Amino acid sequence: MSAKVLKSAFWGVGVALVLAGSWAWIDRWVNGEKNANYGSLVPWGLWVAAYIYFIGLSAGSFLVSSLVYVFQLKRFESIGRLALFSAVVTLILALLSISADLGHPFRAWHVLVYPNFGSPMAWMIWLYSAYFAVIMLELWFVLRYDLVVASKSAGFRGTFYRMLVFGSRDESPETLASDRQIVRILATIGVPVAIMFHGGVGALFGVISARPAWHGGLFPILFLVSALASGGALLAIVSAVFQDGLRRNRDTVLALGTLVLGLLAIDLLLQISETLVGFYGNEPARIANLKTIYGGPYWWVFWVWQLGLGTLVPLALLVLPATRKDPRVVAGACGLIAVGFLAVRLNIVIPGLADEQLAGLSEAFSSPRLTTDYVPSTIEFLFTAGLVGIGLLLFGLGEWLMPHGGEPSAGEAPAVGTEGSHVTA
Amino acid sequence: MAKTSRRKLLKGAAASVSTLALAATPLSRAIPVQASEAIGPAPGVLARRGRNLSAALAERGAPSGGLLPATHAISVPLPTGSGTAVAAQQAAASAESSVVRMQAELKRAMEKPIAQRKWTMVIDQRKCVGCSACTVACIAENNLPPGIAYRPVLEEEIGEYPKVTRRFTPRPCMHCDEPPCVPVCPVGATYKRPDGVVVINYDRCIGCRYCIVACPYGARSFDFGEHYTDGTPGRQPYEESPALEYGKEWSRSSVEGITRKCHFCVHRLNAGMLPACVTTCIGEATYFGDLNDPESLVTELVTSGRAVRLKEELGTKPNVYYLV
Ligand code: SF4
Ligand code: SF4
């Protein structure tokens, strides 16, 4: 298949998903959450799982970008801006997902005006607001010089870039140097914020003693490691596809593959530890939770999606000598891992809730809202598919419009020459 | 205080079904009920709307006995072997309705400053017959939409045929002293009042449902904005009528997309009335009162040695007790 066909297919899928999602989006605003299938026993569903998935991707991508902008690792320099861009895109998807899930999204400002800082959720919201501001600013400073250069081009592109530079015209090396300084400061602020807010997302679940499946000190750590693994994996596939990346980022993709392999191994270790301790402890609620995951109606989400396609297959591809040196295979394996983490998130949120708090609760009063059997509704699926579509379109637009910067081409040792040479798009 | 033996009670019960003129009952009480005494603001909204019978009764100074005043006639006789709790039980199941006594205690409590009251509910699982009248009364009182019951009655079957029994557990909000639902709310929309009632500020709630996740008793519900008559030729007007929780009129749309829960009927308490589930219980199995009042019925029952709380190990310190 030619690159052109692939590209059209990419845009086609993106547009189709967004169109399907718009129907769900409209339904959500017209009918509220009537057509969502969660209820009062399983109060969080697909949209919350998608939210923690996307926000994990964002935190993970951002932390990888900090390898470049804080820790100055040359190896990843060529994908620094892409990592930041991915962090912004996935954060937007996360916020869209959770805004649909809130009963009163237009009251979200209550969290800023009446915050209860005893609540992990309030912390999370404050911290990701700060994080959003930091990464937007950082991305702008990373791109500013290239945007200024590009804003001289004629036609639509020129106009577009002129809008984005907000009046900045300065191309002097001093300003470029000060940009880099600012980026470094912002990135350094961003790292603890990202760690706190994503650890905070883990804490949001971990503090709930009413849900033994979540309750414990491991959750914040597990969330961070999962974020890094999934974010790194997303970056590997994106940097292989984005702007002719397979040629330009060959070695970086391989390096990302190794990084992800290590992170996935740690993640696996933590998950195995949780599972074994859970089984051995024989606490009824934990056992019920594990049984729901492994043998419930969604057994395949764990065995096929999370463990098979999301863990074992990519692990093999990243380890076997025959495949681990091929950037296409590595990128593909990382793609599987990135998608597999959605199953991880689903298996945290839904089975953790799908257990009666008191025996007989689901039968005491007949209502589809008072049951532990949760299957996302069509509207929920379409909405989330629409978010994926928005993500595809944003990445597509980014690949089309983001100035390439001066990354070296394939085969060359990365890093040299990145400092000064800037090519227009 | 009238001390009726079990035998006497059983005999008397049959004979007295028709003689339970509630108005006369208080006269024989050790604690006189001054029905005309002012206890806080009149139930303005309720009376104006003429919405429910108990409100109208309270307006006229009649003690609120619910729709089935003859409740104690079908009291379940005490099982033997609960010797230590005999006094409390007899008080509870005596020929005079415990509802009348609790009504008087409610008035007494309402005269105290709010921080000195500690509202407590006691549910006798040996007397509960699992009829769900309380569930329904609560739904009617609070105009609840489909999918929400503040007080469902959980049913369990214990043992195997022929040795089998059933246990009923009405489950209101426990109004925990250490409520896990409160600290997690990102906007402080849910909080504990000085009298112990855990409430939700419906105007503040953003509908994140974190509190539902955090409650170990499943006592919170999300209002999905549904109507019982959706999907029928026409939505019925009663479904659009406001809920009167917290002494305010909540239009149907104002409570959609938020979390709702049992509030011990604080709007009724303010009007001097017992919670709807208490006055409706056909088995007189639900008691309500002020645990800070050493003379109150709930204090007697809580200290009877039979009282347990659900999931005590979580340290939530519920204010709802079960007599087992
Ligand atoms: S029972 Fe649940 S909703 Fe009620 S106070 Fe306790 S934790 Fe909160
Ligand atoms: S659903 Fe409402 S009351 Fe519950 S935690 Fe969220 S904002 Fe607070």
Side-chain angles (χ1 to χ4, degrees), chain A residues 31-45 47-48 101-105 107-112 114-122 125 203-205 207-211 214 353 356-370, chain B residues 132 135 139 145-149 152-156 169 171 174 180 182-188 201-228 230 235 253-258 310-311 314:
Chain A
N31 292 322
E33 286 165 88
K34 275 191 200 112
N35 292 327
N37 273 359
Y38 41 80
S40 293
L41 296 193
V42 183
W44 290 343
W47 291 346
V48 170
D101 187 77
L102 280 190
H104 275 278
R107 289 186 190 169
W109 58 272
H110 284 189
V111 189
L112 302 180
Y114 314 110
N116 166 22
F117 285 116
S119 163
M121 187 180 281
I125 293 169
L204 192 149
F205 291 86
V207 297
I208 301 300
S209 59
R211 306 286 175 177
W214 298 340
L353 294 167
E356 287 180 330
Q357 294 280 41
L358 296 169
L361 203 51
S362 57
E363 271 119 42
F365 192 77
S366 294
S367 162
R369 301 292 180 198
L370 296 170
Chain B
S132 294
T135 314
I139 290 170
I148 300 189
V153 179
L154 316 187
E155 301 181 13
E156 287 163 281
T169 310
R171 199 278 353 257
M174 304 288 132
V182 166
V184 299
C185 177
V187 294
N201 178 345
Y202 288 167
D203 290 324
R204 176 80 62 88
C205 173
I206 61 173
C208 67
R209 309 189 292 286
Y210 195 14
C211 54
I212 307 183
V213 167
C215 168
Y217 305 97
R220 292 175 162 249
S221 315
F222 187 68
D223 191 327
F224 282 83
E226 290 162 320
H227 296 77
Y228 279 104
D230 276 351
R235 185 180 289 172
S253 63
S254 72
V255 285
E256 292 177 2
I258 56 160
L310 298 182
K311 296 195 180 184
L314 291 180

Side-chain angles (χ1 to χ4, degrees), chain A residues 80-211:
Chain A
R81 60 177 60 191
L82 190 52
L84 262 185
F85 179 69
S86 305
V88 172
V89 170
T90 44
L91 180 60
I92 291 173
L93 302 184
L95 296 181
L96 288 176
S97 192
I98 205 62
S99 72
D101 187 77
L102 280 190
H104 275 278
F106 294 115
R107 289 186 190 169
W109 58 272
H110 284 189
V111 189
L112 302 180
V113 182
Y114 314 110
N116 166 22
F117 285 116
S119 163
M121 187 180 281
W123 274 103
M124 179 189 74
I125 293 169
W126 275 69
L127 285 168
Y128 73 52
S129 304
Y131 168 79
F132 202 2
V134 168
I135 60 174
M136 289 302 275
L137 268 180
E138 187 183 338
L139 183 62
W140 189 78
F141 277 105
V142 165
L143 295 177
R144 191 200 64 87
Y145 180 88
D146 292 334
L147 290 173
V148 169
V149 173
S151 66
K152 290 203 219 86
S153 46
F156 159 73
R157 277 178 181 261
T159 323
F160 178 72
Y161 295 133
R162 274 192 292 282
M163 265 162 52
L164 286 186
V165 292
F166 295 106
S168 170
R169 299 234 141 272
D170 199 338
E171 285 177 56
S172 64
E174 295 81 48
T175 323
L176 183 59
S178 94
D179 280 356
R180 289 178 189 278
Q181 197 55 37
I182 293 172
V183 166
R184 185 155 188 196
I185 293 170
L186 286 173
T188 313
I189 298 173
V191 170
V193 174
I195 291 177
M196 277 197 292
F197 102 75
H198 203 66
V201 179
L204 192 149
F205 291 86
V207 297
I208 301 300
S209 59
R211 306 286 175 177

Side-chain angles (χ1 to χ4, degrees), chain B residues 110 114-115 117 119 191-199 246 263 266-267 269-270:
Chain B
M110 290 304 286
I114 182 166
R117 305 171 209 145
W119 294 124
Y191 57 94
K192 195 165 172 70
R193 304 199 327 172
D195 58 358
V197 183
V198 174
V199 295
Y246 304 113
H263 33 64
V266 286
H267 59 292
L269 301 182
N270 282 338

